Amino acid sequence: MNLVTSTVTLGNEPLTIEQVVHIARSAPPGTDYLGGPVRVEVSEAAWGRVRHTRGVIDALADDSVAHYGISTGFGALANTSIPPEKRTQLQRSLIRSHAAGSGAEVEREVVRALMLLRIQTLATGRTGIREETLRAYVAMLNAGITPVVREYGSLGCSGDLAPLSHCALALMGEGWVRDASGELLAAGDALATAGITPVELREKEGLALINGTDGMLGMLCMAITDLRALVTIADLAAAMSVEGLLGTDDVFAADLHALRPQPGQALSAANMRKVLAVSGIRDSHRDPEACTRVQDAYSLRCAPQVAGAVRDTLDHAARVAGWELASAVDNPVVTLDDRVESNGNFHGAPVAYVLDFLAIAAADLASMSERRTDRFLDKARNHGLNAFLADDPGVDSGLMIAQYTAAGMVSEMKRLAVPASVDSIPSSAMQEDHVSMGWGAARKLRRSVDALTQVLTIELLTAARGIQLRAPLTPSPVSAAIIAALDEVSRTAPGPDRFLADDIAAAVYAVADGSVRHAAESVAGPLN
């Protein structure tokens, strides 16, 4: 049974990160999905602004003075005057030539996000788009029609030109799309089936449809959402590792973290205290006379400091995303007093920088997680557990190669952490002589987020097995709940070697869909 369709109205206020992600990941119309389908509509006030600024553009169409994108060519051809009878062809040629992407198809959620964000900018009334063009774009998004966008083609300046051009091409009834069921179709056929008339673009409309940071911004919104969930998982995994490795929770005391008032650090420490509360394993070595260890390794003791820094980096990225979501990015743009002005607001640097920053933070979080996994497997450092947590070391290899898998992904994440935004390759005959590479930064961050999910999952599975090897000592109630949730989809209990890849994949899904966090919160209450 389909869920009731929800509606998001654009034009009255900026979209939130949460709305972008919800719409991007919503179900296609007519399908069953937890998120349910979402319709987008434009407010009446916004339609009024769209009609007004289109009038401004129409008034300039016959002006003897050249206006960029209205009566001139584009980029390095901005000084070429275009006669009125060729301006429709000008807009059509712009989209066809700029839809030059190559490589693998970009994910449906990314394309939906960039379509949504372009619609949001068009609804500000600052671009000069015609009402009928915007209505067709909204209809295409609502119909679940997803243009085929390719991996490569955007330099992040002037915005995400090639990805947005593939979407505009579909709006013209050309190129390729996926329909709501995922079937590959010619765009014209998909529009006809949905009852949408292809658009014949007029003056300025081609630029309005492709001059924006929408692709990189959409991917930033999704990365922020995913990383916020994963940093909580990192706290859970770290706390379970501390427990299973006979570490101390004394270092997570609130008054110690108040001495260094980094906000994210305090939140992570609070999560870890909740996980470690009422742990029989921890209580077994609380007596200072029985425990000769003075300090735990950094990967245990400093976990809140690293995860907390990731939290604070995410907050900074969210502020940048919020500013960009409140923007009307186009060139030229129609100002509030009806001037049509060229500008550089399409440059992706603000978004590109934080995309790169998040890749660095994610790589460091994964690196620390992998070090805790490795510590569990080393008999010289795991305080009495079998080598590699194997049932019969030598006959069994235990979780030896699971750590290899985590290490391989961490190594890849370190390479992905190399900033894209420090690079620039000039384009358009040196007119566009400095570009942001923000699209590339966003694409590699998506791979990094996926790898982080898997690295943290491997730590959770390792910690779960290590904790169970401490029997008859009992884990904390929160750790026990997490282990039970993992056991519903995979196997964490010690025993002879078994096929690990399926266990890891199932546990990754339980982390990604929120099951692990839900299990923890069912005992601990809300986590940060």
Side-chain angles (χ1 to χ4, degrees):
M1 180 174 63
N2 294 330
L3 297 178
V4 175
T5 302
S6 60
T7 301
V8 174
T9 301
L10 306 181
N12 294 333
E13 57 189 16
L15 284 164
T16 65
I17 291 173
E18 293 76 16
Q19 286 174 320
V20 172
V21 175
H22 180 49
I23 295 169
R25 292 177 170 169
S26 66
T31 61
D32 294 327
Y33 181 68
L34 183 62
V38 181
R39 281 189 60 81
V40 168
E41 62 182 28
V42 175
S43 71
E44 285 304 317
W47 285 124
R49 292 193 297 271
V50 167
R51 288 188 286 268
H52 173 80
T53 52
R54 183 61 206 179
V56 174
I57 298 300
D58 287 340
L60 296 176
D62 298 324
D63 198 334
S64 59
V65 177
H67 298 280
Y68 178 65
I70 300 173
S71 54
T72 73
F74 309 104
L77 301 175
N79 294 323
T80 302
S81 179
I82 307 298
E85 65 273 14
K86 291 188 176 181
R87 290 177 189 171
T88 297
Q89 179 63 34
L90 170 71
Q91 301 299 320
R92 187 184 303 119
S93 295
L94 171 71
I95 301 305
R96 287 173 174 170
S97 65
H98 284 47
S102 185
E105 284 187 45
V106 171
E107 304 84 359
R108 175 183 184 270
E109 65 181 21
V110 172
V111 180
R112 283 183 59 81
L114 74 88
M115 291 172 68
L116 169 68
L117 292 170
R118 185 67 340 211
I119 289 169
Q120 174 185 241
T121 286
L122 298 174
T124 64
R126 307 269 62 83
T127 71
I129 199 79
R130 288 180 302 151
E131 180 178 353
E132 52 265 47
T133 302
L134 179 52
R135 287 192 183 276
Y137 210 158
V138 171
M140 189 165 71
L141 179 68
N142 285 336
I145 297 172
T146 306
V148 173
V149 172
R150 300 294 177 179
E151 179 80 13
Y152 300 103
S154 173
L155 301 182
C157 190
S158 304
D160 293 318
L161 287 177
L164 284 164
S165 293
H166 281 274
C167 295
L169 190 71
L171 193 63
M172 292 163 47
E174 301 180 21
W176 298 95
V177 301
R178 298 273 178 187
D179 67 8
S181 68
E183 183 180 355
L184 183 66
L185 296 172
D189 293 340
L191 293 181
T193 299
I196 301 170
T197 301
V199 172
E200 183 174 334
L201 301 179
R202 299 283 298 278
E203 292 88 352
K204 175 66 174 63
E205 290 195 297
L207 284 175
L209 288 168
I210 68 174
N211 246 310
T213 57
D214 307 299
M216 64 183 93
L217 176 58
M219 286 186 276
L220 175 60
C221 290
M222 286 183 278
I224 289 168
T225 299
D226 294 342
L227 286 170
R228 278 180 166 160
L230 286 173
V231 76
T232 300
I233 295 296
D235 293 339
L236 300 179
M240 289 177 65
S241 291
V242 169
E243 186 176 30
L245 289 166
L246 303 182
T248 178
D249 59 349
D250 294 347
V251 295
F252 308 134
D255 61 343
L256 291 177
H257 292 273
L259 296 175
R260 189 193 196 191
Q262 300 281 355
Q265 177 179 322
L267 295 174
S268 284
N271 281 345
M272 294 183 70
R273 289 196 301 272
K274 286 184 176 182
V275 176
L276 289 163
V278 200
S279 167
I281 297 175
R282 174 65 186 103
D283 289 342
S284 72
H285 59 99
R286 200 173 288 280
D287 184 353
E289 294 184 4
C291 182
T292 59
R293 288 159 54 201
V294 177
Q295 291 183 338
D296 292 324
Y298 285 8
S299 62
L300 305 176
R301 191 181 355 147
C302 302
Q305 284 78 4
V306 172
V310 176
R311 290 177 179 276
D312 295 337
T313 302
L314 282 165
D315 286 345
H316 170 61
R319 283 192 294 273
V320 173
W323 295 328
E324 198 73 1
L325 287 167
S327 303
V329 177
D330 192 17
N331 180 47
V333 69
V334 183
T335 64
L336 293 175
D337 60 355
D338 292 344
R339 301 183 339 269
V340 179
E341 297 285 357
S342 291
N343 65 91
N345 284 341
F346 49 74
H347 198 287
V351 180
Y353 292 166
V354 292
L355 287 163
D356 280 335
F357 199 175
L358 289 179
I360 292 169
D364 200 39
L365 192 62
S367 179
M368 181 175 258
S369 171
E370 183 276 330
R371 287 294 79 202
R372 292 189 294 262
T373 294
D374 180 71
R375 183 167 288 272
F376 262 115
L377 306 184
D378 185 353
K379 188 171 176 60
R381 294 180 292 147
N382 67 17
H383 305 290
L385 301 175
N386 286 353
F388 304 107
L389 306 186
D391 186 59
D392 184 3
V395 174
D396 294 318
S397 295
L399 298 180
M400 178 193 293
I401 307 304
Q403 182 266 329
Y404 285 32
T405 300
M409 286 186 286
V410 169
S411 181
E412 173 71 8
M413 290 177 71
K414 290 175 181 177
R415 293 190 291 274
L416 293 170
V418 175
S421 58
V422 298
D423 187 28
S424 176
I425 297 179
S427 56
S428 193
M430 292 297 286
Q431 175 74 359
E432 299 169 8
D433 59 353
H434 184 277
V435 297
S436 77
M437 298 296 182
W439 174 271
R443 296 306 295 164
K444 67 185 181 65
L445 178 58
R446 284 180 68 81
R447 295 193 292 275
S448 188
V449 170
D450 178 66
L452 176 61
T453 306
Q454 298 180 68
V455 171
L456 292 174
T457 299
I458 289 172
E459 183 188 357
L460 282 171
L461 290 171
T462 304
R465 182 178 292 193
I467 285 171
Q468 291 174 90
L469 284 169
R470 297 293 181 190
L473 297 176
T474 58
S476 75
V478 176
S479 293
I482 292 171
I483 292 170
L486 291 171
D487 278 339
E488 288 185 5
V489 296
S490 62
R491 176 181 166 181
T492 66
D497 282 352
R498 53 182 274 145
F499 178 32
L500 271 178
D502 281 355
D503 282 344
I504 293 171
V508 165
Y509 189 82
V511 168
D513 74 0
S515 298
V516 168
R517 177 170 181 163
H518 176 74
E521 290 185 325
S522 69
V523 177
L527 295 167
N528 299 310

